[in-house]
């Protein structure tokens, strides 16, 4: 992960941190290319610290295929919305239910969800569990 930009003197109530990840599927090159363009154009808002991981699946990307070198589809999606609107805020995890090992995917999703909610609450923030 590459920290990009950010203003250490930003006077906002809470520092803004944004994570951007691309190329979890090696056959989808648009994400890393778009991130490169944004960085080169200095288009990332300086009020935030950006954590950029432009290539999550380098072995799949190099071969132009969805799966990594071990043949695994790396789909996993974590969403955390800090909106003040209670109908929109919260944390949820999505995973691929259509795999033969989806029971292990579900176990991982539950583990990630529980730990993330625990850590958010430990920092003194309300954490809404939107489920898996």
């Amino acid at each position: 992960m590459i920290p990009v930009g950010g203003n250490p003197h930003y006077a906002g109530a809470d520092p803004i941190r944004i994570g951007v990840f691309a190329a979890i599927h090696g056959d989808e090159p648009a994400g890393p290319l778009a991130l490169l363009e944004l960085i080169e154009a200095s288009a990332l808002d300086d009020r935030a610290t950006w954590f950029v991981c432009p290539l999550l699946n380098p072995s799949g990307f190099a071969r132009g295929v969805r799966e990594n070198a071990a043949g695994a589809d790396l789909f996993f999606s974590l969403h955390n919305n800090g909106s003040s609107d209670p109908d929109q805020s919260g944390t949820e995890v999505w995973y691929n239910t259509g795999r033969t090992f989806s029971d292990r995917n579900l176990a991982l999703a539950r583990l990630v969800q529980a730990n993330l909610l625990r850590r958010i609450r430990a920092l003194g923030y309300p954490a809404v569990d939107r489920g898996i």
Side-chain angles (χ1 to χ4, degrees):
M1 187 151 357
I2 306 164
V4 178
N7 183 347
H9 306 292
Y10 174 63
D14 289 316
I16 300 169
R17 296 177 189 96
I18 300 171
V20 182
F21 309 90
I24 196 163
H25 297 132
D27 61 347
E28 298 171 353
L33 298 174
L35 280 175
L36 180 60
E37 286 183 26
L38 288 170
I39 293 168
E40 288 177 342
S42 298
L44 304 180
D45 191 323
D46 283 341
R47 293 173 296 170
T49 297
W50 296 77
F51 296 92
V52 178
C53 187
L55 193 55
L56 288 170
N57 181 3
S59 62
F61 188 81
R63 294 176 295 125
V65 298
R66 184 177 179 93
E67 299 82 11
N68 68 4
D73 180 346
L74 303 175
F75 176 75
F76 185 90
S77 188
L78 169 67
H79 300 261
N80 187 51
N81 187 335
S83 172
S84 60
D85 180 343
D87 292 331
Q88 296 180 16
S89 67
T91 301
E92 59 190 333
V93 175
W94 299 5
Y95 71 99
N96 188 341
T97 60
R99 308 292 273 184
T100 57
F101 46 83
S102 64
D103 58 329
R104 289 181 283 166
N105 289 351
L106 176 58
L108 176 62
R110 286 180 175 153
L111 182 65
V112 168
Q113 178 79 338
N115 278 289
L116 181 61
L117 291 168
R118 181 179 52 79
R119 288 178 181 233
I120 291 171
R121 290 176 182 136
L123 291 171
Y125 294 99
V128 178
D129 185 346
R130 293 181 57 95
I132 297 172

